[in-house]
Amino acid sequence: MANISTRFFGLDLKSPVIAASSSMTGHAEQVIKLAEAGAGAIVLKSIFEEEIFSELQEELSLRTGMNSDPEYLDYFDYVIKEETLRKYLHLISDTKARTTVPIVASINCVSSSDWTLFARKIEEAGADALELNMFVTPSDASKTSENHEQFYLETIQKVLAVVKIPVTVKISHYFSNLSGMVQKLATTGIAGITIFNRFYSPDVDIQSESVTVADVLSTSHDYLLPLKWTGILSGQIKIDLSATSGIHSAETALKFLLSGATSVQVASVLYHEGPSAITKMNKGISDWMDQKGYKTIADFQGSLSQAATSAQAWERTQFMKYFGEKAY
Ligand SMILES: Cc1cc2nc3c(=O)[nH]c(=O)nc-3n(C[C@H](O)[C@H](O)[C@H](O)COP(=O)(O)O)c2cc1C
């Protein structure tokens, strides 16, 4: 039987299928079920910077510039006895005690401010790695691309300065020079990059003429954008790439592995099918490898990436040929 072990977050994983951060990974019981179903790792529900910050805000504003002061750190220990933060650290230590599957904490970051001290608490609670779920909507026309990029780079630097566990970042595709930015991120010292997060999207209801929220869950057709960029980016960086969005089956997961990802992160399929979706994906990956005669994921991982094939198909964006041939 094929060996489906792989690497991501700087860790050895038993499977390339990772349970992505979502409300499914915010409760210990559910996390254990996902581990038992065969997840390679579990990324816990993100704790939001605003949640960390609001519990610390008053003290932080009084103590600006005192971050390395031992008294400040004592106070930090004191405040994290507060509900949200304490619960999150307990989720880490509880799940770590109950499974050997790597537990990855996740912080949603919207600024590079003092909440980064909480990353150290996450490490102390036993998390195997930390994923930074980073996003700023680039809608403020007064800010340059460099301003936006600086936020990512500064946050990463601050977090790397306080933890020893591997740190990865999960990003969107909203960069004016995506390849350039991914290369900058890849040389900061992080262990991996996850592309691309899925967000709440606005929709419009034409009956009530109001702005609503689009479907939160992805469909199995939503994988093409991260697939394209996995193919293009995987050969450009030396750290591991994980892919997320629209991965609902072993077949789709295999497309990402062939294109250069070392793992995939799934959420929506877990809402549709439950944790057994992971068991099914692991089996599908293993069966395909047996059928193809591959013994390990390294035997085929990245074999169709742009770097391995020089395929122009990864970059083609216009429909010119298609329309020409089909004559419509
Ligand atoms: C209900 C829900 C909650 C999510 N919460 C988070 C979160 O807290 N942090 C995060 O990084 N991603 C979060 N995500 C994004 C998922 O981790 C995943 O990357 C995204 O949904 C794309 O994968 P999918 O197509 O398999 O759903 C959430 C997704 C869903 C559907």
Side-chain angles (χ1 to χ4, degrees), residues 20-22 45-46 133 170 197-198 217-218 244-246 267-268 271:
S21 176
S22 78
K45 172 80 186 145
S46 297
N133 159 18
K170 183 178 189 184
N197 206 350
R198 178 178 173 83
L217 301 183
S218 66
T244 187
S245 284
S268 294
Y271 287 88

Side-chain angles (χ1 to χ4, degrees), residues 91 112 122 178 180 192:
L91 177 64
S112 60
I122 281 179
L178 185 57

Side-chain angles (χ1 to χ4, degrees), residues 115-134:
W115 60 264
T116 48
L117 278 172
F118 189 65
R120 187 183 297 169
K121 293 285 151 200
I122 281 179
E123 178 171 56
E124 285 167 9
D128 293 290
L130 172 61
E131 184 171 84
L132 302 177
N133 159 18
M134 305 183 82

Side-chain angles (χ1 to χ4, degrees), residues 219-289:
T219 73
S220 59
H221 303 288
D222 288 336
Y223 70 87
L224 291 172
L225 186 70
L227 184 71
K228 174 184 177 115
W229 285 100
T230 297
I232 293 174
L233 295 172
S234 59
Q236 296 185 2
I237 54 173
K238 291 200 168 60
I239 58 172
D240 292 332
L241 203 59
S242 187
T244 187
S245 284
I247 303 164
H248 289 216
S249 66
E251 290 73 18
T252 310
L254 283 162
K255 292 182 189 193
F256 280 92
L257 297 174
L258 284 161
S259 306
T262 60
S263 64
V264 295
Q265 299 195 21
V266 300
S268 294
V269 71
L270 303 178
Y271 287 88
H272 288 304
E273 299 177 25
S276 65
I278 293 181
T279 317
K280 202 161 97 186
M281 288 173 80
N282 283 343
K283 181 170 185 321
I285 292 169
S286 168
D287 287 351
W288 178 87
M289 287 170 66

